[in-house]
Amino acid sequence: MPADRFTTAMQRDELLAWLRLTTAPGVGPMAARRLLARWGLPQAIFSRDIAAWRECVSAAQAQALATRSGEAFDALVQRTWQWLREAPPASVARAIVTLGDAAYPQALLATDDPPVLLYLEGAPELVHGGGGFAPAQSLAIVGSRNPTAQGAANARAFARSLREAGLCIVSGLARGIDAAAHEGALAAAPEPSTAATLAVVGTGLDQIYPRAHVALAARIAEAGLLVSEYPLGTPPFAGNFPRRNRIIAGLAQGTLVVEAALASGSLITARLASEQGREVFAIPGSIHAPQSRGCHALIRQGAKLVETAQDVLEELRLAPRAQPSLAPTAAPVPAPAETDPVLQALGFDPLPLDVLAARTGMDVATLQARLLEHELAGAVARLPGGLFQRVAAA
């Protein structure tokens, strides 16, 4: 199939009709789906009049559909058409998948609120492959935007091991755990036939957010897919991110929460996954860490406590295809670390310098020098607020 998929699969007037339906003010996915269920395609919908639309939607929604499109809409159509037709790097393709397209993921179609349109950018064999772009075996990994060093390491290790076991890793391209999960999946042995990772974003695909993740997004597009339901040019509105969480949960067999505060978007994703009948997993953490409280709450509510990637595979009734690294996240550290007085005194909870000095009996200058050595070796992380935390091998 050619890279400019829409030159053959959809003409410009069809694209215009889909965009008109999905961008009409006040006409959300639910109303659009009712109209599509009644008349099949947007062009058929717009061949009817307001009176006919009122059978499916409110008067305000029918009026919005009838309102003549302005310059902003015309610019969006042109922008989208050019985006589809312009030549991205040879390793990247673009497409739009509609609700009735054979490539629309069945897992997402089975949810309560599937998006009407999905914009895709990624590896050509995934964008244009038959049978849908979302692998059947996939896991969402989500968590705090401000994780501990241990939490980020856990996300990378779980993502890499689970990817090596054959799962596609789904996340949201946010800072923290999301980014670590994408990086872990990309670090796994490449397998071109399936996506390493899917990044579901809360902006238009031409508006990567955060900007610090532009390079990461480019890497994802080469080995997986960027996915959005939002039109090109959509900036990072705060309300879009909780909405996109339903897609993250809907594309995956289960959701793993690595770290999350009690008031966290990750818990929204976990709730949506549970409501959709998908598995929810959580990694426990320190009782003193705010980032662990959301995970502990999920476990109390019935989420599966996991310590290794093998725990996830067993719960999903999947077997690793090769022999990936499925060691426990908190793997035993080498023998020298077991006898190091600073690491022994530090344990695995965040501690301030004065408490650690009292435990070790060292003077502050000596202790700071030892902590710096461990920090450079990756065994200790320096946290905000003057705290230090031991990092287990993952």
Short mmCIF file of all heavy atoms in Angstrom, two decimals, residues 21-22 26-37 56-57 61 99 112-116 229 243 246:
data_model
loop_
_atom_site.label_atom_id
_atom_site.label_comp_id
_atom_site.label_asym_id
_atom_site.label_seq_id
_atom_site.Cartn_x
_atom_site.Cartn_y
_atom_site.Cartn_z
N LEU A 21 -17.64 16.18 10.81
CA LEU A 21 -18.40 15.45 11.82
C LEU A 21 -17.70 15.49 13.18
O LEU A 21 -18.33 15.69 14.22
CB LEU A 21 -18.60 14.01 11.39
CG LEU A 21 -19.28 13.08 12.41
CD1 LEU A 21 -20.71 13.54 12.69
CD2 LEU A 21 -19.24 11.64 11.92
N THR A 22 -16.38 15.30 13.18
CA THR A 22 -15.66 15.14 14.45
C THR A 22 -15.19 16.45 15.07
O THR A 22 -14.71 16.44 16.20
CB THR A 22 -14.45 14.21 14.24
OG1 THR A 22 -13.62 14.71 13.17
CG2 THR A 22 -14.90 12.80 13.91
N GLY A 26 -19.52 20.89 20.15
CA GLY A 26 -20.57 20.26 20.94
C GLY A 26 -21.01 18.90 20.46
O GLY A 26 -21.84 18.24 21.11
N VAL A 27 -20.49 18.45 19.33
CA VAL A 27 -20.84 17.12 18.81
C VAL A 27 -19.68 16.18 19.15
O VAL A 27 -18.70 16.09 18.43
CB VAL A 27 -21.10 17.15 17.29
CG1 VAL A 27 -21.48 15.75 16.79
CG2 VAL A 27 -22.18 18.15 16.96
N GLY A 28 -19.80 15.50 20.26
CA GLY A 28 -18.72 14.62 20.70
C GLY A 28 -18.80 13.24 20.08
O GLY A 28 -19.66 12.96 19.23
N PRO A 29 -17.91 12.34 20.52
CA PRO A 29 -17.88 10.99 19.95
C PRO A 29 -19.20 10.24 20.09
O PRO A 29 -19.60 9.51 19.18
CB PRO A 29 -16.76 10.30 20.74
CG PRO A 29 -15.89 11.42 21.20
CD PRO A 29 -16.80 12.57 21.46
N MET A 30 -19.90 10.43 21.20
CA MET A 30 -21.15 9.68 21.41
C MET A 30 -22.20 10.07 20.38
O MET A 30 -22.84 9.21 19.75
CB MET A 30 -21.67 9.91 22.82
CG MET A 30 -22.87 9.05 23.19
SD MET A 30 -23.38 9.26 24.91
CE MET A 30 -21.90 8.70 25.76
N ALA A 31 -22.38 11.39 20.18
CA ALA A 31 -23.36 11.85 19.19
C ALA A 31 -22.94 11.45 17.78
O ALA A 31 -23.77 11.05 16.96
CB ALA A 31 -23.51 13.37 19.29
N ALA A 32 -21.63 11.57 17.50
CA ALA A 32 -21.14 11.18 16.17
C ALA A 32 -21.39 9.71 15.91
O ALA A 32 -21.78 9.32 14.80
CB ALA A 32 -19.64 11.49 16.07
N ARG A 33 -21.22 8.87 16.91
CA ARG A 33 -21.46 7.43 16.72
C ARG A 33 -22.94 7.14 16.48
O ARG A 33 -23.29 6.24 15.71
CB ARG A 33 -20.93 6.64 17.94
CG ARG A 33 -19.42 6.60 18.04
CD ARG A 33 -18.98 5.53 19.03
NE ARG A 33 -19.48 5.78 20.37
CZ ARG A 33 -18.85 6.49 21.29
NH1 ARG A 33 -17.68 7.04 21.00
NH2 ARG A 33 -19.35 6.64 22.50
N ARG A 34 -23.82 7.89 17.14
CA ARG A 34 -25.25 7.70 16.88
C ARG A 34 -25.59 8.04 15.43
O ARG A 34 -26.37 7.33 14.77
CB ARG A 34 -26.08 8.56 17.84
CG ARG A 34 -26.09 8.05 19.27
CD ARG A 34 -27.27 8.65 20.04
NE ARG A 34 -27.19 10.09 20.13
CZ ARG A 34 -26.60 10.77 21.12
NH1 ARG A 34 -26.01 10.09 22.11
NH2 ARG A 34 -26.60 12.09 21.13
N LEU A 35 -25.02 9.13 14.94
CA LEU A 35 -25.27 9.52 13.56
C LEU A 35 -24.71 8.50 12.58
O LEU A 35 -25.35 8.14 11.58
CB LEU A 35 -24.65 10.90 13.30
CG LEU A 35 -25.32 12.07 14.03
CD1 LEU A 35 -24.39 13.29 14.05
CD2 LEU A 35 -26.64 12.43 13.37
N LEU A 36 -23.52 7.99 12.87
CA LEU A 36 -22.91 6.99 12.00
C LEU A 36 -23.70 5.69 12.03
O LEU A 36 -23.84 5.01 11.00
CB LEU A 36 -21.46 6.74 12.44
CG LEU A 36 -20.47 7.88 12.18
CD1 LEU A 36 -19.16 7.64 12.93
CD2 LEU A 36 -20.20 8.03 10.68
N ALA A 37 -24.21 5.33 13.19
CA ALA A 37 -25.01 4.11 13.29
C ALA A 37 -26.29 4.22 12.46
O ALA A 37 -26.78 3.23 11.91
CB ALA A 37 -25.34 3.82 14.75
N CYS A 56 -31.46 11.95 16.18
CA CYS A 56 -30.32 11.29 16.82
C CYS A 56 -29.61 12.18 17.85
O CYS A 56 -29.01 11.65 18.79
CB CYS A 56 -29.30 10.86 15.77
SG CYS A 56 -29.91 9.64 14.59
N VAL A 57 -29.66 13.49 17.62
CA VAL A 57 -28.88 14.39 18.48
C VAL A 57 -29.74 15.56 18.92
O VAL A 57 -30.88 15.74 18.46
CB VAL A 57 -27.61 14.90 17.73
CG1 VAL A 57 -26.71 13.74 17.35
CG2 VAL A 57 -28.01 15.70 16.48
N GLN A 61 -26.75 20.40 18.84
CA GLN A 61 -25.80 19.61 18.06
C GLN A 61 -26.17 19.61 16.59
O GLN A 61 -25.30 19.71 15.71
CB GLN A 61 -25.73 18.18 18.61
CG GLN A 61 -25.07 18.09 19.97
CD GLN A 61 -25.22 16.72 20.60
OE1 GLN A 61 -26.23 16.04 20.40
NE2 GLN A 61 -24.23 16.30 21.37
N LEU A 99 -13.79 4.76 12.52
CA LEU A 99 -14.47 3.78 13.35
C LEU A 99 -14.91 2.54 12.57
O LEU A 99 -14.94 1.44 13.11
CB LEU A 99 -15.69 4.46 13.99
CG LEU A 99 -16.37 3.76 15.16
CD1 LEU A 99 -15.42 3.62 16.33
CD2 LEU A 99 -17.60 4.55 15.59
N ASP A 112 -16.60 1.35 25.86
CA ASP A 112 -17.83 2.15 25.89
C ASP A 112 -17.75 3.43 25.07
O ASP A 112 -18.77 3.94 24.64
CB ASP A 112 -18.17 2.52 27.34
CG ASP A 112 -18.54 1.31 28.18
OD1 ASP A 112 -18.99 0.30 27.59
OD2 ASP A 112 -18.37 1.36 29.41
N ASP A 113 -16.55 3.94 24.87
CA ASP A 113 -16.42 5.25 24.23
C ASP A 113 -15.28 5.26 23.23
O ASP A 113 -14.29 5.99 23.37
CB ASP A 113 -16.19 6.31 25.32
CG ASP A 113 -16.23 7.73 24.77
OD1 ASP A 113 -16.78 7.93 23.66
OD2 ASP A 113 -15.72 8.65 25.45
N PRO A 114 -15.36 4.46 22.15
CA PRO A 114 -14.27 4.42 21.17
C PRO A 114 -14.21 5.71 20.37
O PRO A 114 -15.24 6.27 20.01
CB PRO A 114 -14.65 3.24 20.28
CG PRO A 114 -16.13 3.15 20.39
CD PRO A 114 -16.46 3.55 21.79
N PRO A 115 -13.01 6.23 20.08
CA PRO A 115 -12.88 7.43 19.26
C PRO A 115 -13.39 7.18 17.84
O PRO A 115 -13.30 6.07 17.32
CB PRO A 115 -11.37 7.69 19.25
CG PRO A 115 -10.81 6.88 20.37
CD PRO A 115 -11.71 5.71 20.53
N VAL A 116 -13.91 8.23 17.23
CA VAL A 116 -14.40 8.11 15.86
C VAL A 116 -13.26 8.06 14.86
O VAL A 116 -13.30 7.33 13.88
CB VAL A 116 -15.36 9.27 15.54
CG1 VAL A 116 -15.81 9.23 14.08
CG2 VAL A 116 -16.58 9.21 16.46
N GLU A 229 -6.46 10.87 18.97
CA GLU A 229 -7.81 11.09 18.44
C GLU A 229 -8.05 12.55 18.13
O GLU A 229 -9.11 12.92 17.63
CB GLU A 229 -8.87 10.62 19.45
CG GLU A 229 -8.95 11.44 20.72
CD GLU A 229 -10.11 11.03 21.61
OE1 GLU A 229 -11.22 10.79 21.09
OE2 GLU A 229 -9.89 10.95 22.83
N ARG A 243 -8.95 12.21 29.02
CA ARG A 243 -9.73 11.59 27.95
C ARG A 243 -8.91 10.54 27.21
O ARG A 243 -9.41 9.46 26.88
CB ARG A 243 -10.20 12.65 26.96
CG ARG A 243 -11.34 13.52 27.43
CD ARG A 243 -12.68 12.85 27.26
NE ARG A 243 -12.98 12.51 25.88
CZ ARG A 243 -13.90 11.62 25.53
NH1 ARG A 243 -14.59 10.99 26.46
NH2 ARG A 243 -14.14 11.35 24.26
N ARG A 246 -8.54 6.67 28.35
CA ARG A 246 -9.45 5.58 28.01
C ARG A 246 -8.93 4.80 26.81
O ARG A 246 -9.20 3.59 26.68
CB ARG A 246 -10.85 6.12 27.75
CG ARG A 246 -11.06 6.72 26.37
CD ARG A 246 -12.37 7.47 26.26
NE ARG A 246 -12.75 7.74 24.88
CZ ARG A 246 -12.18 8.66 24.10
NH1 ARG A 246 -11.19 9.41 24.55
NH2 ARG A 246 -12.60 8.84 22.86
#
